[in-house]
Amino acid sequence: MDFSPNIQKLSPSATIAVSTLARKLKAQGRDIINLSAGEPDFPTPDWIAQAAIRGIRDGRTGYTPAPGLPELREAVARDMETRSRGGWAVEPESVVVTCGAKQALFNACFALFGKGDQVLVASPYWTSYPQMVGLAGAEANFVKGPEERGFKLSPEELEAASGPRTRGLILCSPSNPTGAVYTRDELAAVARWARDRGIWLISDEIYRRIVFSESEGEMAAGLMDLEPGEVGPHVVVDGVSKCFAMTGWRIGFAVTSPEVADKLSALQSHSTSNAATPSQMAALEAFTHPERADASVAEMLEAFRRRRDLTAEAIRTRLPHLSIIEPQGAFYLFIRVDSEFQDGMADSQEWCSQVLEETGVALVPGVAFGDDRYVRLSYATSDDLLTEAVRRLAEEREG
Ligand code: PMP
Ligand code: GLU
């Protein structure tokens, strides 16, 4: 069948494909431990969920303006402004509420890039970025920092990878899949480089609150922690999916200049219109009760920290030949497994298929994130399942 050139290079999301396969095998009765999808296993905090239920009962079930409920845009702007360590003023007109952070990223790529453009994508990357760039007609150009720096980028690598057609850079900190977190200074160096080159910086900050710093309640550095003068044209992307365990509610947002926000909104007005209204009511509750929100995040963060430590320690002890990037944020372990590649099993995809077949543990091949030597494990699941998963991997190797 002939499809349009729009989707000629499109492939389905690998993260979603593996977790769908894991669910299917489980439904068939297989004993599967699914560590593939990046999805917190907690329920949405009840006080947030109740706001949506109240909204539905109060008849908040119609359309909202395409860029979101005015009071939600206002609340997100206030929250960004209050938390900004760079003294930014954020107007509600700069905020576009979207159907998940995914749509904010897609809208930004579609609105800002096109045919002939190259977009730098910090690698290892979240699997959807290159596809989004491709859907916009542009070309992704992957750029990697040194492995021993957790692949984090500096202006040197960026400069070496860029050329006259470079129009943008997509960066994710804390990173999916590595868990690496840019310090304020590292982020500032990258932001100043993008500013000086006059290219768009799309900063995916969806895991910003999931960071294991020493000082409690501190978020990972984001663009708005820099001085406004350090940042050129930009789109900050964030949302509620990860930090409030709200993946199914589909609420994200883009924060940018009012002029760009207008375009993102116009694009959305012709595709999905507004994000689901009851979901916006729930997000509004979260953003208008920052102290309560912080307490809910802190509770989940404690569990993520414990799970990170126990999984990393179990891998170090029981599978010492596999190395891991020490994650400082998000909820993934990026594990280097190429020391196990041998005849008949030469890449991360085959490694993951074999492990799924023999142990029932579902992981995502690193090739989906731009590094075929690695696999990704999501530790957003129970302590018991994580312990059991490492036990199975180790015992299968011991024979
Ligand atoms: N960015 C990154 C780095 C992610 O891991 C995800 C996970 N889904 C998203 C964006 C999209 O988030 P959402 O579910 O809010 O669309
Ligand atoms: N972002 C998550 C992941 O990387 C959820 C799945 C997806 O949307 O890709 O696994």
Side-chain angles (χ1 to χ4, degrees), residues 100-102 105 126 129 172 176 204 206-207 241-242 250 332:
K102 204 173 244 180
L105 288 157
W126 179 46
Y129 300 148
C172 179
N176 176 4
D204 184 346
I206 184 107
Y207 295 101
S241 301
K242 313 290 173 170
R250 311 309 301 133
Y332 306 103

Side-chain angles (χ1 to χ4, degrees), residues 15-16 38 98-105 125-129 132 172-177 204-207 237-242 246-248 250-253 331-332 376:
T15 47
I16 293 181
T98 53
C99 305
K102 204 173 244 180
Q103 191 182 27
L105 288 157
Y125 48 80
W126 179 46
T127 193
S128 290
Y129 300 148
M132 290 173 178
C172 179
S173 174
S175 157
N176 176 4
D204 184 346
E205 302 183 1
I206 184 107
Y207 295 101
V237 173
D238 201 345
V240 298
S241 301
K242 313 290 173 170
M246 292 178 72
T247 47
R250 311 309 301 133
I251 296 288
F253 48 86
F331 38 66
Y332 306 103
R376 189 191 77 174

Side-chain angles (χ1 to χ4, degrees), residues 79-220:
D79 191 73
M80 298 289 278
E81 200 171 272
T82 315
R83 293 180 193 275
S84 157
R85 285 170 281 188
W88 288 58
V90 185
E91 301 301 322
E93 293 73 28
S94 293
V95 179
V96 181
V97 179
T98 53
C99 305
K102 204 173 244 180
Q103 191 182 27
L105 288 157
F106 177 83
N107 286 351
C109 289
F110 206 74
L112 301 174
F113 310 129
K115 206 165 183 309
D117 292 338
Q118 277 192 347
V119 181
L120 297 173
V121 176
S123 177
Y125 48 80
W126 179 46
T127 193
S128 290
Y129 300 148
Q131 300 289 330
M132 290 173 178
V133 169
L135 285 170
E139 205 182 292
N141 189 3
F142 305 113
V143 51
K144 231 179 219 174
E147 191 174 18
E148 56 281 8
R149 214 199 290 147
F151 299 110
K152 286 190 282 184
L153 291 166
S154 68
E156 287 71 50
E157 288 96 34
L158 289 164
E159 189 56 40
S162 61
R165 295 198 286 130
T166 305
R167 283 270 291 163
L169 164 65
I170 307 181
L171 195 75
C172 179
S173 174
S175 157
N176 176 4
T178 65
V181 178
Y182 282 69
T183 63
R184 188 210 168 280
D185 288 351
E186 288 166 342
L187 188 64
V190 169
R192 286 196 297 261
W193 175 84
R195 177 203 60 190
D196 293 345
R197 269 216 154 240
I199 65 169
W200 288 98
L201 176 52
I202 300 184
S203 180
D204 184 346
E205 302 183 1
I206 184 107
Y207 295 101
R208 236 191 115 196
R209 285 166 177 252
I210 304 174
V211 67
F212 311 111
S213 64
E214 292 309 313
S215 18
E216 204 181 316
E218 198 167 292
M219 289 159 70

Side-chain angles (χ1 to χ4, degrees), residues 336-355 365-367 371-375:
R336 189 161 167 182
V337 297
D338 60 337
S339 60
E340 293 199 348
F341 293 174
Q342 356 117 338
D343 292 347
M345 190 245 283
D347 61 32
S348 59
Q349 210 139 9
E350 286 173 28
W351 191 95
C352 286
S353 302
Q354 201 177 90
V355 162
V367 68
D371 199 321
D372 208 8
R373 301 167 302 172
Y374 281 79
V375 298

